[in-house]
Amino acid sequence: MTDESRGIEAAGPPWSVDLLADLHAGALDAAEAARLWPRVHADPEARAIVAALEATTAGLADLRADVPPMPAEYATRLDAVLAEEARRAFPPPQQPGLAPVVSLDAARRRRTKRLGWISGVVAVAAAAVAAVAIATPSGPAPSPGGNVAAPAPGQSAAQPPLNLRGDQAASAAGQLQGTFDYGPLGTADRLHACLSAAGFADTAKPIGVRPGSIDGQPAVLTLLTTGQLAKFRLIAFAPTCGAGDAGVLLDKVIG
């Protein structure tokens, strides 16, 4: 069994997974990495662990391909937290030259590695939840007296009307996202006809649809992405919309 308590000084078979992960992630200094890589390449067990790390990194990169970079303000705040943590762990020496020096660059590298692993784990967990959600019927359970018809493919179970005011539509994103109830339109094709009539490209794909009203007018509320982080486009279509009749009651960027 691999001894994960071994440090760099004892590097060698049996190899520490933590040490190999740091080496693979570039978290070790150049001199130490240059000393260890030939020994790793010469050891079958170490090579197998590094190969597994490579495969995992490639898989996580694919999962995170569409994830936007961390906003600069959060990266700055995280760097400040790391610096404060280092200051508390290693207070200034009472006598010059006695306390160890912590490299903020090394801390950043470790932070980047941890964020990569955390993002990958979250993405894998989200994929697992999505798979369970797809496999589990989303409609109400059949009653003992008869069967309840399941929603059509690509459509959620019927939702209660979502009644909004045009000047308070910002709250709609959380209530619409992931719900696909076409209400009086009935199908995704009918909604697509409304989107086309309103000038949207054929590639426009809503991320949420729900019947309701806007300022008291019956509507089919439709949520689309904008290409900007945490910003969405809310379109309220009249229930009579279709080819040649956009019936747009509201078109607003929210978030």
Side-chain angles (χ1 to χ4, degrees):
M1 180 175 179
T2 302
D3 180 4
E4 299 192 9
S5 66
R6 294 160 58 88
I8 293 176
E9 297 80 3
W15 292 89
S16 161
V17 174
D18 284 345
L19 175 60
L20 292 176
D22 284 346
L23 179 63
H24 176 262
L28 302 181
D29 63 70
E32 193 62 40
R35 183 179 72 84
L36 290 178
W37 272 122
R39 302 182 63 189
V40 169
H41 289 312
D43 186 279
E45 180 185 357
R47 287 202 310 271
I49 295 173
V50 171
L53 290 170
E54 287 284 358
T56 302
T57 302
L60 294 179
D62 290 341
L63 288 172
R64 294 183 289 126
D66 298 327
V67 176
M70 179 186 294
E73 59 177 303
Y74 297 118
T76 301
R77 288 164 60 185
L78 191 53
D79 283 342
V81 170
L82 287 171
E84 177 63 17
E85 181 182 349
R87 187 190 67 78
R88 290 180 179 179
F90 302 100
Q94 296 182 355
Q95 297 181 14
L98 293 183
V101 178
V102 178
S103 167
L104 185 56
D105 288 339
R108 285 175 177 166
R109 287 197 298 269
R110 290 182 179 275
R111 178 203 73 189
T112 301
K113 183 180 74 172
R114 291 192 188 104
L115 287 176
W117 282 101
I118 292 170
S119 298
V121 170
V122 170
V124 171
V129 171
V132 172
I134 291 172
T136 303
S138 58
S143 63
N147 294 326
V148 176
Q155 182 168 351
S156 304
Q159 298 290 323
L162 179 58
N163 302 312
L164 300 173
R165 286 173 45 186
D167 59 350
Q168 296 180 348
S171 62
Q175 301 178 75
L176 280 169
Q177 194 167 1
T179 298
F180 294 91
D181 180 357
Y182 300 98
L185 294 181
T187 66
D189 289 340
R190 283 280 308 278
L191 177 61
H192 181 74
C194 299
L195 288 167
S196 297
F200 286 90
D202 290 341
T203 54
K205 293 184 178 180
I207 60 171
V209 185
R210 186 169 169 181
S213 67
I214 189 76
D215 293 328
Q217 301 181 75
V220 177
L221 305 169
T222 305
L223 192 67
L224 299 100
T225 58
T226 64
Q228 294 180 283
L229 184 64
K231 287 189 179 295
F232 306 93
R233 190 169 178 180
L234 175 65
I235 314 292
F237 290 106
T240 56
C241 71
D245 178 15
V248 175
L249 303 176
L250 178 76
D251 184 347
K252 188 173 186 178
V253 174
I254 60 176

